[in-house]
Amino acid sequence: MSLNLSPEELLTTTRAVRKRLDLSKPVEREVIEECVRIALQAPTASNVQGYHFMIVTDPKIRAEVGKLYRKGAEGYFSSDLGRQKQAGDPKSRSSRVRDSALYLVENIDKVPVLVIPCYKARPDDLPYAVQASIWLSVVPAAWSFALAARARGLGTAITTFHLQFEEETAKLLGIPYEEVMQAALMPLAYTKGNEFRPAARKETSSVIHWDRW
Ligand SMILES: Cc1cc2nc3c(=O)[nH]c(=O)nc-3n(C[C@H](O)[C@H](O)[C@H](O)COP(=O)(O)O)c2cc1C
């Protein structure tokens, strides 16, 4: 299925989808493969193409990954940063994001597909510029995957809670931890409805620095 979105519609309406993931509808393997094929067009440093996509569909394994995601989320929500975000007006954007993030925490194992974009490198302890090259070789591919999914009526979100237990996740899924980093965990499902709007963001002029910061 293609939603026939214009490039601008696609780029401005690919949201972090959590509550509107359709947990009851299976996702076809071919659709996931198509999204990966498109994601592989993203650039990588020196064209190394070290990306890998761990796709978890087995309900028993999803449940195990879900446990680690929840454990990571618990750490976040009990931290100072998490508590700060919890304070304030329940209608505020940050309260809504928190509510939505908690929904995903509760339902992570019910999402039909969990996608973990990986890269064959470990950035730990490397010089900053090398770390940047590694991260920027996997992040564009992960985002292209999200865009390709949205174009086909699927939703996802970039999440990082499980990375606090990256090594345990690697062990669980047979990812060679010493050689391969996990960049995120992206829940993937068809969305309930296809209408998504551009989000409120900062004024363009507040983030552009012409010639000098
Ligand atoms: C680096 C990064 C880490 C994130 N980690 C999580 C996460 O662990 N759990 C979650 O529910 N959302 C996570 N998000 C999603 C953000 O909360 C989301 O981008 C934000 O809600 C804005 O959504 P919008 O683009 O739909 O406006 C993460 C996003 C990024 C870019």
Side-chain angles (χ1 to χ4, degrees), residues 14-18 69 93 97 100-102 104 157-162 199-201:
T14 303
R15 299 267 68 80
V17 186
R18 305 181 188 91
Y69 185 83
R93 168 126 184 95
V97 169
S100 170
L102 283 171
L104 184 60
I158 289 178
T159 78
T160 46
F161 286 148
H162 91 287
R201 292 289 201 247

Side-chain angles (χ1 to χ4, degrees), residues 21-39:
L21 294 171
D22 188 340
L23 305 179
S24 63
K25 192 168 167 184
V27 180
E28 307 84 345
R29 189 176 270 245
E30 309 79 68
V31 176
I32 301 169
E33 284 168 351
E34 254 177 61
C35 294
V36 172
R37 177 178 58 78
I38 290 167

Side-chain angles (χ1 to χ4, degrees), residues 2-68:
S2 168
L3 300 185
N4 289 319
L5 300 173
S6 71
E8 181 157 339
E9 280 169 331
L10 180 64
L11 290 168
T12 58
T13 66
T14 303
R15 299 267 68 80
V17 186
R18 305 181 188 91
K19 288 188 173 177
R20 286 178 60 191
L21 294 171
D22 188 340
L23 305 179
S24 63
K25 192 168 167 184
V27 180
E28 307 84 345
R29 189 176 270 245
E30 309 79 68
V31 176
I32 301 169
E33 284 168 351
E34 254 177 61
C35 294
V36 172
R37 177 178 58 78
I38 290 167
L40 298 192
Q41 291 295 325
T44 52
S46 307
N47 198 23
V48 166
Q49 301 180 41
Y51 29 43
H52 289 264
F53 286 79
M54 183 80 231
I55 314 276
V56 185
T57 57
D58 182 316
K60 284 198 201 103
I61 308 176
R62 276 193 276 134
E64 291 304 312
V65 174
K67 278 184 201 161
L68 295 169

